[in-house]
Amino acid sequence: MNLNLPSPIQEIKDICLSKAGIRLYVKRDDLIHPSVSGNKWRKLKYNLSQAQQASKSIILTYGGAFSNHIYSVAAAGKVLDFSTIGIIRGEEGMATNPTLSFARSCGMKLYFVSRNDYRDKVKALDIVKESLDDCYVLPEGGTNEFALPGCGEIVEEVAEQWKGELPDYWCLSCGTGGTIAGILSAMPEEKGAVIGFSALKGDFHQNDIRQLLQVHQKNIPSHWHIQTDYHFGGYARHQPALIDFINDFKSQHQIQLDPIYTGKLFYGIFDLVKKAYFKKGTKILAIHTGGLQGIAGFNQRFGGVLK
Ligand SMILES: *Cc1c(COP(=O)(O)O)cnc(C)c1O
């Protein structure tokens, strides 16, 4: 697979940043690969080698009908010669949306289950006709213990790109928390704070992230927290202010953000800058975790609001 690694780092120039004396950089993980994008590649990397080592021919995973993870697994499976199965939360009618059309075009076999049945991930496997012995089962969002080392490589890359000079703040969007856990697991102690901007309502992240980290190490770093003020109503919810922000950001900086994760992240960073949360002279690195495939389906549902 042709991967654009290390992903480039780019500075964002903006009057509001220069006024506050903040330097903001973006690590463009959205440019890693056209269809296996962002953190989904980072999380898949060591899972795919686990699957290979275990001689599993099928990657089986779960996701919503517009899932970035489903899209990436389907694309990676096609390139790397795995069969793929997606257990999708939703109805068969969703099969023609842009995300699932692409997944099927990559050869992914889709099974649809109701919201209720989807909740019990083990029971949901009853619907699968293939032999589970051949399947490497990957959780929703691709988050498990093997997702962490791949995400940790972000830290190693930045250290190399910046010759050891790490940022004061690492900012990234947070869904299951797998990516932030991976970054924390690779982060030298006392080397900058990490802020996860939650894309969901709720405060389960702290515990989930602690649990993920415990598999790898005894000491849990303390220099991180989850920012819960920028979910815009919850997972996959949005408001006009978010849409305007994403469109303005694109026309000003020529960088596309997605409405589910990275749009909320950058909105949050700029809002915190305006509220003088960061000290003058602070260097922030935001991770663009990708997710751009979701825009086509989003626009189809909401009338082309994203330019
Ligand atoms: C999945 C995803 C996230 C969330 O990552 P977690 O590891 O689940 O916290 C963030 N951004 C994008 C674009 C994603 O697709």
Side-chain angles (χ1 to χ4, degrees):
M1 199 147 62
N2 249 338
L3 299 165
N4 180 23
L5 288 170
S7 62
I9 299 175
Q10 171 181 351
E11 183 167 12
I12 302 288
K13 297 276 194 187
D14 193 288
I15 189 118
C16 130
L17 298 169
S18 50
K19 264 195 195 157
I22 306 291
R23 284 168 305 157
L24 173 63
Y25 297 84
V26 191
K27 184 146 173 74
R28 298 289 307 272
D29 271 14
D30 57 313
L31 301 177
I32 289 178
H33 188 273
S35 43
V36 190
S37 102
N39 65 343
K40 297 303 182 279
W41 162 252
R42 304 263 185 202
K43 296 204 268 188
L44 271 175
K45 180 177 174 185
Y46 292 104
N47 272 298
L48 294 177
S49 49
Q50 283 292 319
Q52 253 151 8
Q53 274 171 37
S55 304
K56 305 283 189 183
S57 56
I58 306 174
I59 309 290
L60 182 154
T61 195
Y62 305 84
F66 297 93
S67 160
N68 296 330
H69 171 64
I70 290 290
Y71 191 97
S72 294
V73 169
K78 185 176 179 195
V79 178
L80 300 174
D81 234 9
F82 286 103
S83 300
T84 52
I85 297 176
I87 298 183
I88 309 298
R89 182 187 65 228
E91 279 109 50
E92 197 93 41
M94 298 283 207
T96 55
N97 85 26
T99 302
L100 297 182
S101 301
F102 173 83
R104 271 186 315 169
S105 78
C106 293
M108 182 178 257
K109 180 159 180 196
L110 303 175
Y111 289 101
F112 291 85
V113 296
S114 70
R115 257 166 207 282
N116 247 342
D117 291 349
Y118 184 82
R119 245 173 242 134
D120 186 341
K121 298 286 183 289
V122 176
K123 193 168 165 281
L125 292 174
D126 288 349
I127 194 173
V128 173
K129 296 199 178 71
E130 290 76 4
S131 157
L132 291 177
D133 288 340
D134 299 330
C135 294
Y136 183 84
V137 179
L138 197 53
E140 187 174 35
T143 292
N144 61 9
E145 57 172 309
F146 301 110
L148 270 61
C151 297
E153 287 175 359
I154 296 175
V155 178
E156 292 154 31
E157 275 180 32
V158 173
E160 211 156 282
Q161 286 168 297
W162 276 349
K163 305 191 172 39
E165 198 203 311
L166 295 179
D168 301 309
Y169 282 93
W170 302 71
C171 293
L172 69 152
S173 176
C174 197
T176 63
T179 308
I180 188 171
I183 285 179
L184 289 169
S185 71
M187 184 76 79
E189 198 57 67
E190 312 304 336
K191 278 282 181 195
V194 185
I195 310 179
F197 287 71
S198 181
L200 297 76
K201 232 186 221 171
D203 51 9
F204 50 90
H205 280 113
Q206 299 274 352
N207 280 336
D208 289 1
I209 292 164
R210 263 167 233 279
Q211 261 173 24
L212 282 165
L213 284 168
Q214 256 155 9
V215 179
H216 282 261
Q217 61 195 83
K218 288 187 210 85
N219 292 336
I220 296 168
S222 54
H223 52 301
W224 62 279
H225 75 274
I226 302 298
Q227 171 56 254
T228 54
D229 293 341
Y230 301 103
H231 58 63
F232 285 88
Y235 185 68
R237 300 294 177 88
H238 68 281
Q239 286 161 16
L242 176 67
I243 303 300
D244 291 346
F245 176 84
I246 293 172
N247 286 332
D248 288 350
F249 193 87
K250 184 178 179 184
S251 73
Q252 265 194 56
H253 305 294
Q254 287 75 53
I255 297 177
Q256 178 75 66
L257 303 172
D258 82 290
I260 315 294
Y261 296 103
T262 55
K264 295 178 180 181
L265 163 69
F266 279 87
Y267 185 101
I269 294 172
F270 275 83
D271 195 54
L272 290 177
V273 167
K274 281 180 203 142
K275 291 175 172 158
Y277 176 88
F278 302 106
K279 274 196 311 217
K280 203 174 166 146
T282 298
K283 182 174 172 182
I284 304 171
L285 180 67
I287 319 284
H288 192 321
T289 40
L292 303 181
Q293 68 83 23
I295 289 175
F298 187 88
N299 271 339
Q300 216 173 56
R301 272 174 296 161
F302 301 112
V305 289
L306 288 169
K307 300 205 180 78

